[in-house]
Every structure is written in structure tokens, then in C-alpha cells.
Amino acid sequence: MPAPIFALALLPAAVVATPDLAAPAPPGHPVESCAECHFDGPPRVDSPAISLVDPAGHYAAGKTHVLTVHLALAEGETGGFLAALWREDGAAGTLAAGDGTAARGEAVISAPPVRAATADGLRWSFAWTSPEAPGTVHLQLAANAGNGDQSPLGDRLHAQTIPLAVR
């Protein structure tokens, strides 16, 4: 089959596999960014696979707190994550890169290289300086559980929004 005809034959598959067809996430959720490259299936919103390790009952206003994210994976799977903050008044505080993470605008992401999970999954830590004003800040997490083949297929997106009480 000549190359142009072969390319046209693949076009329907490419259209079907676009991130626009993934299940919607909460507005502004970072899973939208992850779905640009990992779109084998719809994201699992409110997934128990991604969580905050030992969350505090509340966080002191204007202080820096170390947050650790856990992604439960089968041993050997690969993974990555993206975290962002949201608050109705816009004052959600700031994030800074930490253990295994890198800054990406106002978010933090898992830093390359991609790591394979241990029996306990994967963990990443970063710093959050909470806002001066009390209220609820929403930590929005998106994580990719990958099969390690460096393609967007065979990956599973997980999303979770965790309320952080600032006092």
C-alpha cells in the first residue's frame, strides 16, 4: 500500500484515540493536561489509587508544609503525576518542587526519568506554602499508571481532588 493511502487508513484510529473523547474531569483539573498524552481510556475520577500520605486535619495559614502523594501501582508499572491548587478566591498558596518532582508553571509534576513502582507503588513529595487567609484549598491530583512502553496506549489516568483546610 503506498504511504499516503496507508496514512489515510490510520486517520480514523487517530481520531477515535484523541484526548477530547476522554471522560470529563472536574473543571480545571490537571487530568486535562495528562490526557493530552495519555488517552487510552477515560480518566478514573475520584480514584482511590492516588492519595495524599498522612494528610493533616488542617494546615496552618502562611506556613510551608511538605505533602507526599502516593500512587498505588502493581510492581514494575511506571507512573507520573501532576499536582495543582485551586481556591474560589484564587489565593491557594504556592507549590515548590521537592523529592522526585519539578516545577511546571504553578503546578508540580513528577520529575523524569520515569520510575518503576515498588511493591508499595510510587511516592513524590513537594512543598506547599498555604495562603495567609483561612479557608479550603483544593489539591488537584492527576496520575498516570503506565505500562512503560513510552506510548499513550496502555496507560491509566487517575484523578483525585483533596480538600486542605487552612486555619
Side-chain angles (χ1 to χ4, degrees), residues 79-134:
F81 91 104
L82 187 149
L85 299 169
W86 176 83
R87 185 165 151 168
E88 287 181 24
D89 66 5
T94 58
L95 294 174
D99 181 30
T101 67
R104 180 181 180 189
E106 294 187 19
V108 292
I109 61 171
S110 50
V114 174
R115 298 182 291 166
T118 64
D120 185 38
L122 289 170
R123 292 173 188 258
W124 299 274
S125 296
F126 53 92
W128 168 51
T129 301
S130 58
E132 294 291 335

Side-chain angles (χ1 to χ4, degrees), residues 129-157:
T129 301
S130 58
E132 294 291 335
T136 300
V137 172
H138 302 278
L139 175 64
Q140 298 177 314
L141 302 171
N144 176 47
N147 60 8
D149 70 357
Q150 303 299 312
S151 83
L153 304 176
D155 297 346
R156 293 175 313 281
L157 285 179

